[in-house]
């Protein structure tokens, strides 16, 4: 019987990002406790090799990573293709407006992110809740003019004629005027989870609701129905998830959060003599 080995637990203590796991990994490797076939197999996997500790292959290629000749981390991120749900593409178009910027010779250019549907130049946009309609002359992504189509997840700029700043407020929603256009909400019903005193949520209570890019006060009617204090665009979570979840705040504190289950939409849309 050989000499028994004493087991010792080593605790590595350090601040966040101080190199605890890096030091431990180097120690195990240097002592030969990682088989060579494990290292060899890593080179056969599809992945990106970097060293945050040595800053190798983050932005510029490094010669310190053995036989690895793949892209740097930045190059890999630049060419990353995220999957787009076909289910979201086939839904009616919804673009949550983040704001606008002014371009010389063009005017106000609304910008926002596509959450469902697809966008092509030539579409007639409906801007809710005002009901303003304008034809899209061109679409820009990252400052470049798009020639074909934009999909959910794309952050786009819309080149449309004669749009006033008041019609491009954050929280507005753009949609295809010919396919289930977005409308303002008269009221909506929600499934609510209360995080503060439940007694606060009652008829007449008026917190601020953060829903997509919209931040508007709503008045409770009971514990489930909310009435916006001013024009607001929301959708049922089951149809348009990014436009149907919210957080309710009061005095900068979260009092509740939830999802919208039903929307009573405004029946009248403001007509514009200069539409299209």
């Amino acid at each position: 019987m050989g000499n028994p080995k004493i087991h010792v637990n080593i605790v590595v203590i350090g601040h966040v990002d101080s190199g605890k796991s890096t030091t431990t990994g180097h120690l195990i490797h240097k002592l030969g406790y990682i088989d060579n076939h494990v290292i060899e197999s890593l080179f056969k996997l599809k992945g990106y090799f970097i060293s945050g500790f040595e800053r190798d292959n983050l932005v510029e290629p490094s010669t310190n990573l053995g036989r690895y000749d793949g892209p740097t981390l930045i190059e890999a991120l630049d060419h990353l293709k995220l999957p787009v749900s076909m289910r979201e593409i086939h839904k009616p178009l919804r673009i949550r407006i983040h704001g606008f910027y002014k371009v010389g010779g063009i005017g106000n250019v609304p910008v926002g992110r596509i959450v469902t549907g697809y966008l092509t130049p030539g579409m007639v946009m409906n801007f809710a809740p005002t009901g303003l309609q304008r034809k899209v002359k061109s679409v820009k992504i990252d400052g470049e003019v798009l020639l074909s189509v934009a999909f959910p997840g794309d952050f786009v700029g819309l080149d449309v004629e004669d749009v006033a700043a008041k019609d491009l407020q954050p929280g507005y929603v753009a949609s295809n005027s010919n396919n289930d256009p977005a409308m303002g909400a008269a009221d909506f019903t929600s499934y609510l989870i209360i995080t503060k005193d439940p007694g606060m949520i009652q008829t007449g209570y008026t917190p601020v609701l953060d829903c997509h890019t919209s931040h508007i006060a709503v008045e409770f009617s009971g514990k489930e129905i909310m009435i916006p204090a001013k024009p607001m665009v929301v959708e049922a979570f089951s149809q348009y998830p990014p436009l149907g979840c919210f957080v309710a705040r009061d005095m900068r504190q979260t009092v509740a959060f939830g999802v919208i289950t039903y929307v009573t939409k405004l029946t009248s849309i403001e007509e514009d003599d200069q539409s299209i």
Side-chain angles (χ1 to χ4, degrees), residues 97-100 108-110 127 160 163-170 172:
I97 300 299
H98 289 243
F100 68 94
N108 295 322
V109 175
F127 294 93
V160 292
V163 179
K166 66 180 180 65
D167 295 316
L168 302 174
Q169 298 299 312
Y172 283 16

Side-chain angles (χ1 to χ4, degrees), residues 62-248:
S62 172
T63 59
N64 298 328
L65 298 177
R67 289 171 290 173
Y68 177 73
D69 60 356
T72 65
L73 178 61
I74 292 299
E75 290 172 341
L77 292 175
D78 285 341
H79 293 87
L80 184 63
K81 298 293 184 182
L82 298 177
V84 177
S85 169
M86 295 304 295
R87 179 182 176 186
E88 299 304 309
I89 291 176
H90 290 303
K91 288 182 179 181
L93 176 65
R94 292 291 186 273
I95 305 173
R96 58 187 184 197
I97 300 299
H98 289 243
F100 68 94
Y101 60 88
K102 293 186 177 181
V103 178
I106 296 179
N108 295 322
V109 175
V111 294
R113 189 174 301 280
I114 300 176
V115 296
T116 58
Y118 62 90
L119 172 66
T120 60
M123 278 186 176
V124 177
M125 290 288 96
N126 177 82
F127 294 93
T130 64
L132 178 73
Q133 294 187 0
R134 290 291 185 270
K135 186 175 182 178
V136 178
K137 296 190 296 182
S138 64
V139 179
K140 290 187 176 182
I141 298 180
D142 295 331
E144 297 183 1
V145 176
L146 178 71
L147 300 179
S148 54
V149 59
F151 296 107
D154 287 337
F155 195 84
V156 297
L158 306 176
D159 179 5
V160 292
E161 291 184 348
D162 191 23
V163 179
K166 66 180 180 65
D167 295 316
L168 302 174
Q169 298 299 312
Y172 283 16
V173 174
S175 57
N176 186 346
S177 62
N178 295 320
N179 185 11
D180 187 27
M183 302 175 68
D187 61 62
F188 49 92
T189 305
S190 66
Y191 175 79
L192 195 67
I193 297 177
I194 302 173
T195 59
K196 298 291 285 186
D197 180 9
M200 298 174 61
I201 310 297
Q202 56 184 321
T203 298
Y205 180 57
T206 309
V208 172
L209 209 70
D210 296 340
C211 184
H212 58 97
T213 55
S214 182
H215 311 283
I216 292 177
V218 296
E219 181 179 348
F220 272 83
S221 177
K223 289 185 177 294
E224 297 181 345
I225 299 177
M226 294 179 235
I227 305 170
K230 60 181 182 179
M232 183 179 190
V233 182
V234 296
E235 300 280 5
F237 181 83
S238 60
Q239 295 177 296
Y240 305 96
L243 305 180
C245 51
F246 63 84
V247 174

